[in-house]
Amino acid sequence: MGKRAGFQRFAFKMSAKSGGCFTQSILIHVVMKPLRCVLFLLATPLLVGAQDMDSLRFIRSKRLSDADLAKKREGFFVTGLPDASSDPVTGFGVGLRSNFYWNGTRQNPLFGYTPYLAKLKANVAYYTSNARELALSLDMPYYKGTRWRFRVDFKAQQNPANLYFGLTETTLGPLRLPATPEGGPTFATYRAFDQARQTLRPGRAGEADEVTDALSNRFRETEFMLNLKADYALGRQGRWRLMGGYEIQHLSYRTFEGLNAPALDPATGQTLTAPNGTSLLRRDFEQGRITGLNGGWVSILQTALIYDTRDFDPDPTRGAYFEVANEFSNPVIGSQFNFNKLFVQGRFFRQLPLGPRTVLAGRVGIGNIFGANAPFFEFQDQWSPEGSINALGGRQSLRGYRANRFLARSLWFANWEVRARLAEASWGKQRFALAVAPFFDVGTVRDRWQELSFDRLRTSYGMGLRIAWNQSTILSLDYGLSREDRLLFFGIGQAF
């Protein structure tokens, strides 16, 4: 998203603007308490490693189908894709998305029951504006044959592509210009809205004489995050799991007032550049409608109860997944914020008697944020042990709408897909499978969970393309449509 000489470089330092001069007492309060939890979790795998191999009875329900087991690759292998993108704020960027897998041999008792013994995901990207990203994620299911699963995630990124349209159920209404969020013209399509944002308008107090709102729905987030999670399989069949985790992150934000951005002269239709006006996010913050724009330290305790009978986590053909997940943040655990997030979701998968591999997949999710002063950035996603879900809007929820198009304290959404495999092929040691996935999404948001209903629903639909690379890496391409927009999404992994 744009060029800015002042884009901060990736170094773990805090300026007075993004967190202040941290005194020794603040560092002890914010960092040392969480560090005890971190050290304990890091030591847990070593303690588990000393245990004897547990009975595998607890994962027998997770056995891969005979067809998938016959195709599963042994040993160590890597999958990866180059990534290139261009944006008015971030500039031109290049990167790499990669996955490193350890599957073991067929003689390993876990081979037929786990998608992998260990997986390391590594994403890196660099943009001409100095925006950067580094994300690492390690997953070890049924560690050394025990009931334990360990996950470690690290992220250091600067993302200027975040979108903000408001933080209440009024976002369910038609699109409005950032300069007139209450009143003024409305727009039925995002294309018309985007053109209107770029049109020059007279500046207001604190703005230049003439400004554009091309970047007034966007903001930049700089994040450093470490997350540690462990779950334990319960009962003889191991279908239930209890998970606990801890996350520490530092966040800082910037909006784009005064930055030169694309503009349109309403008199001549000429395209030019002009200073950007006051952003919607900044205006809501200054008017006391949101909190958290100054960023800070976020310390979170995570807990979840999970029921899982899927046969192959990355691309299931049968089974169900249900979770009740909670995030708790409070100054007691070193956080500068106070909130509690609850998310419940259920997924199901059933193979249909059509073609070589046709799977009906569905999901329903419902979430709520407790805490009167919960920061705005916590409204942007719903936390799940399998990865946060941007909601509502975007690749993981409503694929016909932009990410975070609809935000409020409470939400529910549902997705359905039919994943139909068309062909399979091998190239050297690499194995590929091609599938299509027509989909339908629906959801809504409310300011109070008691008011969630089937009224004012937003829907999207479309067609997806899936390429399974060595089974565990799923390349996804989705084209989503809604009454407001048409969007193309590319990602690694199924939407759910």
Side-chain angles (χ1 to χ4, degrees), residues 81-125:
L81 289 175
D83 188 15
S85 61
S86 180
D87 183 272
V89 174
T90 57
F92 177 75
V94 293
L96 177 67
R97 303 183 186 188
S98 58
N99 292 299
F100 301 82
Y101 293 96
W102 290 266
N103 275 2
T105 66
R106 293 186 179 276
Q107 288 69 43
N108 190 308
L110 295 172
F111 190 82
Y113 300 91
T114 61
Y116 39 77
L117 295 180
K119 170 188 172 182
L120 174 65
K121 180 173 70 175
N123 295 338
V124 294

Side-chain angles (χ1 to χ4, degrees), residues 89-158:
V89 174
T90 57
F92 177 75
V94 293
L96 177 67
R97 303 183 186 188
S98 58
N99 292 299
F100 301 82
Y101 293 96
W102 290 266
N103 275 2
T105 66
R106 293 186 179 276
Q107 288 69 43
N108 190 308
L110 295 172
F111 190 82
Y113 300 91
T114 61
Y116 39 77
L117 295 180
K119 170 188 172 182
L120 174 65
K121 180 173 70 175
N123 295 338
V124 294
Y126 175 80
Y127 298 85
T128 53
S129 62
N130 274 336
R132 308 175 187 185
E133 177 189 13
L134 170 64
L136 301 172
S137 179
L138 176 64
D139 181 19
M140 297 179 290
Y142 303 110
Y143 180 75
K144 291 190 175 182
T146 69
R147 294 172 179 261
W148 287 97
R149 181 173 196 162
F150 298 100
R151 298 181 184 180
V152 180
D153 299 287
F154 170 79
K155 182 190 295 183
Q157 72 166 4
Q158 188 177 82

Side-chain angles (χ1 to χ4, degrees), residues 374-395:
F376 81 95
F377 48 81
E378 290 298 333
F379 287 69
Q380 296 178 100
D381 62 57
Q382 299 296 316
W383 176 73
S384 166
E386 299 213 324
S388 295
I389 302 168
N390 281 102
L392 206 54
R395 176 178 175 264

